[in-house]
């Protein structure tokens, strides 16, 4: 079992920045890790994913150029740096681990389903 704990959420004005952190209870090397979010009345959506064995990343179109996912394998942590935040980014953000890895050439792409989930951290962006 992998336990995930998120932190770093809060309230920020539009245009501001936040960094979310996710710490895992064990080694995450060569894991597929991801951040998801869910706003009231909406389905949970994938935000960003990363393969911790090579750093390959994927982003939702809505956050490209604004969000960055990265990991620190030595600390068993993954981060989501969020810049130029918009009110539409308001949601509960969840960390997920052990997604499905797909190898294409020498690159690894990560996707759902994910096996382990954190409890979430709230991000609220005001206009």
């Amino acid at each position: 079992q992998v336990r995930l704990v998120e932190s770093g959420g809060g309230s920020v004005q539009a245009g501001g920045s936040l960094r979310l952190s996710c710490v895992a209870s064990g080694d995450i090397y060569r894991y597929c890790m991801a951040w998801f979010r869910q706003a009231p009345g909406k389905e949970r959506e994938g935000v960003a994913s990363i393969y911790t064995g090579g750093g390959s990343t994927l982003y939702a179109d809505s956050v490209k150029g604004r969000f960055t996912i990265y990991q620190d394998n030595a600390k068993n942590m993954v981060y989501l740096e969020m810049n130029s935040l918009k009110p539409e980014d308001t949601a509960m953000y969840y960390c997920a681990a052990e997604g499905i890895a797909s190898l294409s050439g020498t690159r690894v792409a990560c996707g759902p389903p994910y096996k382990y989930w954190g409890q979430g951290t709230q991000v609220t962006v005001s206009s």
Side-chain angles (χ1 to χ4, degrees):
Q1 284 281 336
V2 175
R3 291 186 176 184
L4 305 172
V5 180
E6 304 97 329
S7 62
S11 297
V12 65
Q13 294 180 333
S17 299
L18 286 172
R19 187 182 73 169
L20 306 183
S21 300
C22 172
V23 60
S25 61
D27 185 12
I28 63 169
Y29 181 58
R30 293 185 177 180
Y31 269 35
C32 278
M33 303 286 293
W35 287 95
F36 288 76
R37 66 186 182 186
Q38 187 169 26
K42 295 185 178 180
E43 295 183 344
R44 180 175 293 183
E45 64 174 341
V47 176
S49 66
I50 187 168
Y51 178 63
T52 61
S56 297
T57 58
L58 294 171
Y59 296 93
D61 288 342
S62 60
V63 306
K64 285 181 179 178
R66 299 190 297 120
F67 291 11
T68 303
I69 186 171
Y70 61 99
Q71 88 285 350
D72 186 338
N73 292 338
K75 296 181 179 180
N76 296 330
M77 296 189 72
V78 64
Y79 305 88
L80 184 68
E81 182 73 33
M82 304 184 294
N83 299 311
S84 301
L85 283 163
K86 304 175 181 180
E88 305 92 272
D89 296 317
T90 296
M92 184 73 73
Y93 284 72
Y94 299 90
C95 180
E98 290 198 30
I100 304 301
S102 178
L103 181 64
S104 178
T106 59
R107 304 185 70 84
V108 176
C110 295
Y114 284 81
K115 188 174 182 179
Y116 301 106
W117 295 81
Q119 293 299 116
T121 184
Q122 178 68 39
V123 172
T124 302
V125 184
S126 60
S127 60

